[in-house]
């Protein structure tokens, strides 16, 4: 395979644990096709990116039209119409008082900016994050990532970062068997962290509303309400990292809407432009004033082609009811997976919202993580023509994050393949 040889010789690939042996020639909606002509049903969407499906015709048309007019001018040197329109659109569709955006290119860049503006607004400098979290690969975003497997070898990290336990109900850090109680105890522990781990200069608490890389951990519906109350008492900003959960993925446009809580700052990337590189953070107008001339910029951020794609993408998600479809298809998928769970002791937990679903695999009743078996599931799914993701802080979670366009019949096929693969692998433990 020529491309594989080029990768081996000229690309740094030593950090990739498991390359999928597919040379991708093309992709359309829910299908990825290899150069060998084989097609796969895509349940990972390029890591939760192509929410409107691969190459949605309206997104492609908008991007092509923009390419003919203007590709780059620098959105922060000249006024770029698509960036203005997209910023207005984001203000309209994001919750609460969020109104002013800054555009970057990827998730980590958005979070870097969000941290900086939070610090400048509050004139404080400490950050509290969750264990099992993932926020990116730059120094600051790794500093707030709560997972040694991602951080090893990259330190020293930023000072002033504290972690509070994620409300991981299946393995509750406080030993609670009850979701709500686990959420309450996890939130209450934040008080302890603030009191005993920080110097009282905390600018922000940052969390993914549903933790993606950590293993699709879905906090109980009350968790962020408890947390927000504590943050209010302590005058600390709440940054919702919606990089992975945004743009309809969880059955709402933004996952924090499931929790009825308004963040002060929200970060977005991945699903924002159906595959075109773009990210943003959005803040309340009073927070936006914290930047003064020279404080922030991005050469490529808010690229007109990416912004045009994002505008079309958001219209598609809303007008073609893909957000509602994600909610329905997610319920369908989880109902089927729970049936499989009854017959398979390998399946410890099935959880998720919308089309962000995780299957946590365990070897026994003591919940020993089944990481090798998770790899085998991914491999067997591939052989059956279906692509799934792997993740979790214990590397034992199958991640299902397909395009939100997936129809009922395709979801049945996903559930059938997983049912047969999970039953097969259960026989080996
Ligand atoms: C929640 C979350 N935040 C931030 C990032 C980093 O995004 P990027 O890889 O675009 O820098 C990711 C990537 O997986 C993510 O899932």
């Amino acid at each position: 395979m020529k491309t594989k040889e080029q990768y081996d010789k000229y690309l740094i690939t030593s950090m990739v644990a498991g390359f999928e042996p597919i040379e991708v020639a093309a992709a359309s909606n829910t299908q990825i096709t290899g150069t060998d002509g084989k097609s796969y049903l895509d349940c990972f969407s390029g890591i939760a990116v192509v929410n409107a499906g691969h190459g949605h015709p309206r997104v492609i048309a908008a991007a092509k039209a923009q390419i003919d007019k203007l590709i780059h001018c620098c959105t922060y040197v000249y006024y770029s119409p698509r960036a203005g329109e997209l910023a207005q659109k984001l203000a309209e569709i994001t919750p609460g008082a969020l109104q002013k955006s800054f555009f970057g290119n990827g998730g980590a860049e958005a979070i870097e900016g969000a941290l900086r503006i939070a610090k400048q607004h509050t004139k404080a400098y400490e950050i509290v994050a969750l264990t099992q979290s993932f926020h990116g690969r730059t120094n600051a975003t790794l500093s707030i990532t709560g997972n040694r497997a991602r951080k090893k070898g990259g330190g020293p990290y930023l000072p002033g970062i504290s972690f509070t336990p994620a409300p991981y109900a299946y393995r509750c850090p406080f030993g609670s068997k009850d979701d709500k109680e686990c959420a309450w105890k996890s939130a209450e522990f934040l008080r302890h962290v603030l009191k005993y781990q920080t110097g009282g200069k905390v600018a922000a608490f940052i969390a993914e509303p549903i933790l993606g890389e950590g293993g699709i951990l879905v906090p109980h519906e009350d968790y962020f309400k408890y947390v927000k109350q504590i943050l209010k008492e302590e005058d600390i900003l709440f940054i919702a990292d919606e990089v992975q959960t945004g743009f309809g993925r969880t059955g709402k446009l933004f996952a924090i809407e499931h929790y009825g809580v308004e963040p002060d700052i929200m970060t977005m990337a991945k699903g924002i432009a159906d595959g075109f590189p773009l990210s943003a953070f959005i803040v309340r107008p009073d927070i936006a004033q914290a930047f003064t001339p020279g404080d922030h910029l991005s050469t490529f951020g808010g690229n007109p082609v990416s912004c045009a794609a994002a505008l079309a993408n958001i219209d598609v998600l809303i007008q073609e009811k893909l957000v509602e479809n994600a909610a329905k298809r997610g319920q369908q998928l989880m109902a089927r997976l729970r049936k499989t769970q009854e017959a398979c002791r390998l399946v410890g937990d099935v959880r998720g919202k919308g089309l962000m679903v995780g299957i946590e695999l365990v070897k026994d009743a003591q919940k020993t993580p089944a990481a090798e078996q998770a790899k085998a599931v991914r491999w067997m799914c591939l052989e059956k023509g279906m692509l799934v993701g792997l993740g979790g802080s214990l590397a034992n979670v199958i991640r299902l994050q397909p395009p939100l366009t997936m129809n009922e019949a395709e979801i049945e096929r996903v559930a059938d393949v997983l049912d047969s693969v999970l039953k097969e692998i259960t026989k080996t433990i």
Side-chain angles (χ1 to χ4, degrees), residues 348-402:
D349 196 23
V350 172
R351 55 189 178 241
K353 274 201 192 290
L355 285 173
M356 183 163 181
V357 175
I359 311 171
E360 177 156 355
L361 304 185
V362 293
K363 290 186 192 161
D364 48 38
Q366 287 69 48
K367 302 185 180 175
T368 308
E372 282 311 309
Q373 287 75 6
K375 276 192 210 156
V377 169
R378 182 164 82 150
W379 184 253
M380 282 178 70
C381 286
L382 178 101
E383 287 188 325
K384 289 177 188 284
M386 194 173 100
L387 307 179
V388 301
L390 269 194
S393 49
L394 304 167
N396 64 334
V397 178
I398 304 298
R399 288 165 63 190
L400 305 169
Q401 296 171 275

Side-chain angles (χ1 to χ4, degrees), residues 228-266:
K228 185 76 200 248
Q229 182 54 38
I230 297 168
L231 299 179
K232 210 168 137 199
E233 288 166 21
E234 301 266 350
D235 233 353
I236 295 170
L237 298 177
F238 172 33
I239 305 175
D241 179 358
E242 293 262 8
V243 165
Q244 191 161 148
T245 47
F247 298 95
R249 169 68 42 206
T250 68
K252 300 239 185 232
L253 261 176
F254 297 99
I256 199 66
E257 294 171 50
H258 292 287
Y259 294 93
V261 161
E262 288 179 13
D264 303 294
I265 303 178
M266 184 187 272

Side-chain angles (χ1 to χ4, degrees), residues 321-330 355 404-407:
K321 301 206 178 314
L322 297 184
V323 186
E324 290 86 339
N325 190 58
K328 273 194 222 140
R329 300 284 77 86
L355 285 173
L404 312 185
T405 49
M406 221 168 239
N407 63 33

Side-chain angles (χ1 to χ4, degrees), residues 218-377:
V218 186
H220 180 273
E221 60 183 20
D222 290 338
Y223 175 72
F224 287 107
K225 281 193 205 87
Y226 295 144
V227 165
K228 185 76 200 248
Q229 182 54 38
I230 297 168
L231 299 179
K232 210 168 137 199
E233 288 166 21
E234 301 266 350
D235 233 353
I236 295 170
L237 298 177
F238 172 33
I239 305 175
D241 179 358
E242 293 262 8
V243 165
Q244 191 161 148
T245 47
F247 298 95
R249 169 68 42 206
T250 68
K252 300 239 185 232
L253 261 176
F254 297 99
I256 199 66
E257 294 171 50
H258 292 287
Y259 294 93
V261 161
E262 288 179 13
D264 303 294
I265 303 178
M266 184 187 272
T267 56
M268 304 163 242
K270 290 190 187 280
I272 190 170
D274 202 30
F276 286 85
L278 183 68
S279 67
F281 66 87
I282 186 166
V283 302
R284 298 191 319 246
D286 58 311
I287 296 175
Q289 303 316 316
F291 277 164
T292 60
D295 285 350
H296 207 58
L297 207 112
S298 169
T299 301
F300 288 121
N303 171 269
V305 181
S306 292
C307 288
L311 282 160
N313 177 52
I314 294 166
D315 282 349
V316 165
L317 294 173
I318 295 170
Q319 290 163 10
E320 298 186 10
K321 301 206 178 314
L322 297 184
V323 186
E324 290 86 339
N325 190 58
K328 273 194 222 140
R329 300 284 77 86
Q331 278 169 7
Q332 179 194 347
L333 180 57
M334 281 198 284
R336 282 286 315 271
L337 292 174
R338 290 204 168 108
K339 282 207 177 119
T340 301
Q341 181 181 16
E342 285 165 21
C344 274
R345 62 195 164 85
L346 178 64
V347 179
D349 196 23
V350 172
R351 55 189 178 241
K353 274 201 192 290
L355 285 173
M356 183 163 181
V357 175
I359 311 171
E360 177 156 355
L361 304 185
V362 293
K363 290 186 192 161
D364 48 38
Q366 287 69 48
K367 302 185 180 175
T368 308
E372 282 311 309
Q373 287 75 6
K375 276 192 210 156
V377 169

Side-chain angles (χ1 to χ4, degrees), residues 47 106-109 111 134-136 208 213 241 243-244 269-270:
I47 322 189
E109 188 186 353
I111 291 157
F134 180 76
H135 297 289
E208 302 154 78
E213 308 293 313
D241 179 358
V243 165
Q244 191 161 148
K270 290 190 187 280

